[in-house]
Amino acid sequence: MSTRIAKVTSITARRAAERKRSEQSVANARAATTLFAVVAALLVIGVTATISASSAVAIDQQSDSFYFFKRQLVGIGLGVVAMAVASRVPYTAYKKLAVPIFAVTVGLLLATMAIGTGANGAQRWIAIGPITIQASEIAKFAVIVVLAAVLDKKRKLLGDFGHFSAPVVAVMGVTGLLIMLQPDLGTTIVIAAAALGVILTSATPLRFVMYTGLAGTILATVLAFSSNYRLDRIIGFRDPWADVEGTGWQLIQSYYALGSGGMTGVGLGASRARWFYLPNAHTDFIYAIIGEETGFVGGLVVMLLFVLLAAAGWAIASRAVDPFGRMVATGITVWLSFQAIVNIGGVLGVLPITGITLPFVSYGSTAVAVSMGAVGVLANIASSGGSRPRRRS
């Protein structure tokens, strides 16, 4: 009798587990579909805004109003390939590839310092014929996978602060130093936030996570006040009207663009700010052009799309089948959503201007291709299904 009851109980438990896996598989499929739909919408919004925002500077610099638009299409094309491939490559492969990927990225960052091209006082690109590569964009993904791989391998040793801090300091120290030499504090902060997301979802004790976050915040604050141009950005953020034609110019022009957009905008292609009033209109401040041409409604739609992207990413991370997948999914989600918050916050004047772009929307072929590839990795993690991981005590 007891044997029969045990068999019935086993069959019931197995069917419940299968039903749960099936439900989670469906939920993951929905999250991946949402992810792809959101990215597609952001790309359409981005290329549409790029045509308008970049036309004036493209004519001035390249005598071709569609110059930046065409280059962005190339980046999106590469991104489609990267996303398709990444969605089919098992994400577990990055465990073995993490160190080589990171090593290549460090090599590219070193090459940027040696032979890179500059603009606006920064040396951030490597030109190979007509192609330019921004290694710091690749570094965002490289840091996520290498930290996830190392912390997963050391998961039983992370209670020892030395075992935890050594790889984190090594990875972030090398990456942060090379990117700060470009210089690019904004990208360094985004990478640090993504790294913190990876650490938070690892087996690392919470007190170590708090120490790391506090140390990073202090270091970022010190760096923010360590150079004149970054100090000018902070001054311009606190009171842009104190120096209308200097430190406050970009933010004030952003206000004018957003204000003139009203509720529904001045119309696509009708932006006035793009005519050399708003600096970096097609990169850092493309959200202001979107707000001007499509109004509050268009700006709100972009915000809601990023909220959906973050929600889909978190859903995928929460159902990852193993700690490595959970850490990678969390890192990618934090990277894309945090960068969007910082960019939009800077355009709206609620955060200091950092010079980072709006994912999938701003002009930047390397950025869009790498970001789309990262979304492909998220989709692959989603396709693995799995049960909800246990929370760390």
Side-chain angles (χ1 to χ4, degrees), residues 47 72 96 128 218 236 290 371:
V47 292
Q72 187 73 343
K96 296 180 179 179
I128 305 174
I218 293 172
I290 293 172
S371 298

Side-chain angles (χ1 to χ4, degrees), residues 251-266 272-273 278 287-296 347-348:
L251 184 54
I252 290 172
Q253 294 305 315
S254 178
Y255 288 158
Y256 285 154
L258 292 167
S260 63
M263 185 59 67
T264 57
V266 298
R272 292 182 289 272
L278 178 63
Y287 186 77
I289 301 299
I290 293 172
E292 181 184 13
E293 295 190 345
T294 63
F296 173 79
V347 172
L348 296 178

Side-chain angles (χ1 to χ4, degrees), residues 223-281:
L223 290 172
F225 287 90
S226 65
S227 72
N228 290 333
Y229 88 91
R230 286 193 288 267
L231 188 58
D232 286 342
R233 283 181 172 178
I234 293 173
I235 294 172
F237 161 68
R238 292 186 62 186
D239 186 7
W241 303 102
D243 187 5
V244 174
E245 296 184 357
T247 57
W249 175 265
Q250 190 173 33
L251 184 54
I252 290 172
Q253 294 305 315
S254 178
Y255 288 158
Y256 285 154
L258 292 167
S260 63
M263 185 59 67
T264 57
V266 298
L268 295 178
S271 167
R272 292 182 289 272
R274 62 177 171 157
W275 294 103
F276 306 105
Y277 291 106
L278 178 63
N280 304 318

Side-chain angles (χ1 to χ4, degrees), residues 56-192:
V57 67
I59 292 172
D60 181 59
Q61 295 180 3
Q62 305 294 334
S63 300
D64 178 3
S65 62
F66 293 103
Y67 175 80
F68 294 106
F69 168 68
K70 288 185 288 188
R71 291 177 70 88
Q72 187 73 343
L73 287 182
V74 171
I76 292 173
L78 293 173
V80 169
V81 174
M83 187 163 60
V85 171
S87 66
R88 287 166 174 76
V89 173
Y91 71 89
T92 51
Y94 298 109
K95 278 187 182 182
K96 296 180 179 179
L97 296 173
V99 173
I101 289 172
F102 183 69
V104 170
T105 302
V106 170
L108 289 172
L109 289 172
L110 288 169
T112 301
M113 299 309 302
I115 60 172
T117 59
N120 300 321
Q123 189 167 319
R124 302 174 185 170
W125 300 269
I126 302 173
I128 305 174
I131 300 173
T132 58
I133 298 173
Q134 191 170 359
S136 60
E137 292 295 331
I138 302 172
K140 295 172 183 175
F141 179 72
V143 166
I144 290 170
V145 294
V146 77
L147 275 183
V150 172
L151 294 178
D152 182 57
K153 186 176 182 180
K154 285 178 166 282
R155 60 183 177 274
K156 294 182 180 179
L157 302 171
L158 294 177
D160 184 315
F161 186 71
H163 279 285
F164 160 71
S165 62
V168 173
V169 171
V171 170
M172 290 306 301
V174 171
T175 307
L177 175 62
L178 292 175
I179 294 178
M180 283 304 300
L181 288 174
Q182 295 183 359
D184 190 350
L185 179 59
T187 297
T188 303
I189 291 174
V190 170
I191 292 176

